[in-house]
């Protein structure tokens, strides 16, 4: 019990409880009862602390710096490896931490991925916020993609792994939020008024990015080439009709 208090002084202070006080003021039988009650209160508070950031859209509002390291490094790995090739041993090795530390913050691999996706959603919201301020598709949109390269890679990994339920869920969650701003910009760039058609064309471009995306190819030239290729195609179709 004393070890738990030593390791969690903030929790002990908030509860306003002291085992030493209980030892002095209570007879042995009463103390054992109160001790079990206190332990239960501490452990319940500790578990709530472990899980509390899961209930907030602003995921990092309550995340400790230590647990945040696991998420941010894992995000980098996920961007390259995706869900299938992701393993906790490699994550711990890259952080130069013991694997057991992972389970101090996360119950298992599934709960970790849940937090990872909340982090992706958080990053996606930041991207959408900047996206909403763009006036033109080129070159602003490309520059924004380059600024959020990691997030783009993760989004593409989600697109490639639709067989995994959380991948499909969060891909569309982020994409649908972005589409509110990026589709009108893309439609104006292509000089078409039909937003539904622009959405379909943007999907084609996204699929091209998934099939051709390699980490060292996420450059201005790579991204510009894909979007300009679609614009040229639209212009050719317009001439033929």
């Amino acid at each position: 019990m004393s070890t738990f208090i030593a390791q969690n002084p903030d929790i002990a202070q908030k509860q306003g409880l002291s085992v030493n006080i209980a030892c002095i003021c209570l007879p042995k039988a009463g103390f054992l009862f109160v001790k079990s009650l206190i332990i239960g209160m501490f452990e319940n508070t500790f578990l709530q602390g472990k899980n509390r950031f899961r209930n907030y859209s602003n995921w990092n509002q309550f995340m400790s710096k230590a647990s945040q390291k696991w998420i941010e490094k894992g995000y980098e790995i996920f961007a390259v490896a995706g869900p299938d090739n992701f393993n906790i041993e490699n994550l711990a090795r890259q952080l130069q931490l013991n694997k057991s530390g992972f389970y101090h913050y996360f119950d298992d691999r599934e709960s970790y991925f849940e937090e990872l996706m909340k982090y992706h959603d958080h990053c996606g919201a930041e991207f959408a916020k900047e996206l909403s301020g763009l006036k033109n598709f080129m070159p602003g949109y490309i520059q924004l993609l380059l600024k959020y390269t990691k997030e783009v890679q993760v989004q593409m990994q989600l697109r490639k792994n639709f067989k995994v339920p959380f991948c499909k869920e969060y891909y569309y969650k982020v994409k649908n939020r972005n589409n509110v701003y990026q589709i009108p910009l893309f439609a104006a760039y292509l000089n078409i008024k039909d937003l539904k058609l622009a959405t379909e064309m943007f999907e084609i471009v996204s699929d091209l990015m998934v099939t051709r995306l390699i980490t060292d190819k996420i450059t201005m030239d790579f991204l510009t080439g894909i979007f300009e290729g679609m614009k040229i195609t639209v212009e050719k179709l317009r001439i033929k009709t």
Side-chain angles (χ1 to χ4, degrees), residues 190-239:
L190 296 179
N191 194 26
I192 59 177
K193 296 181 179 180
D194 189 337
L195 292 183
K196 184 178 179 181
L197 179 60
T199 302
E200 292 173 356
M201 290 181 170
F202 194 86
E203 275 296 305
I204 294 172
V205 172
S206 296
D207 287 342
L208 281 172
M209 288 177 66
V210 170
T211 56
R212 294 173 55 186
L213 190 59
I214 301 173
T215 304
D216 60 5
K217 282 191 175 180
I218 303 181
T219 64
M220 176 69 79
D221 290 341
F222 169 70
L223 295 172
T224 301
I226 288 179
F227 288 108
E228 284 189 347
M230 176 58 74
K231 185 172 185 178
I232 291 170
T233 301
V234 171
E235 290 298 329
K236 287 180 178 179
L237 291 172
R238 184 177 287 122
I239 292 171

Side-chain angles (χ1 to χ4, degrees), residues 167-181:
C167 288
K168 189 172 184 179
E169 175 189 353
Y170 277 90
Y171 172 81
Y172 279 114
K173 184 175 183 181
V174 171
K175 189 195 84 165
N176 291 341
R177 179 170 52 215
N178 291 340
N179 275 358
V180 174
Y181 309 108

Side-chain angles (χ1 to χ4, degrees), residues 116-160:
L116 202 64
M117 289 301 98
K118 288 184 179 180
Y119 177 65
H120 180 58
D121 185 43
H122 169 78
C123 294
E126 293 297 310
F127 177 88
K129 184 178 179 181
E130 293 197 45
L131 178 60
S132 67
L134 293 182
K135 302 300 181 184
N136 299 294
F137 190 80
M138 286 287 193
Y141 186 74
I142 303 299
Q143 291 171 341
L144 193 59
L145 290 178
L146 291 172
K147 180 179 178 180
Y148 285 85
T149 298
K150 237 184 324 185
E151 290 74 12
V152 171
Q153 287 179 279
V154 170
Q155 189 71 352
M156 294 302 99
Q157 288 290 353
L158 299 183
R159 179 67 182 84
K160 288 164 62 178

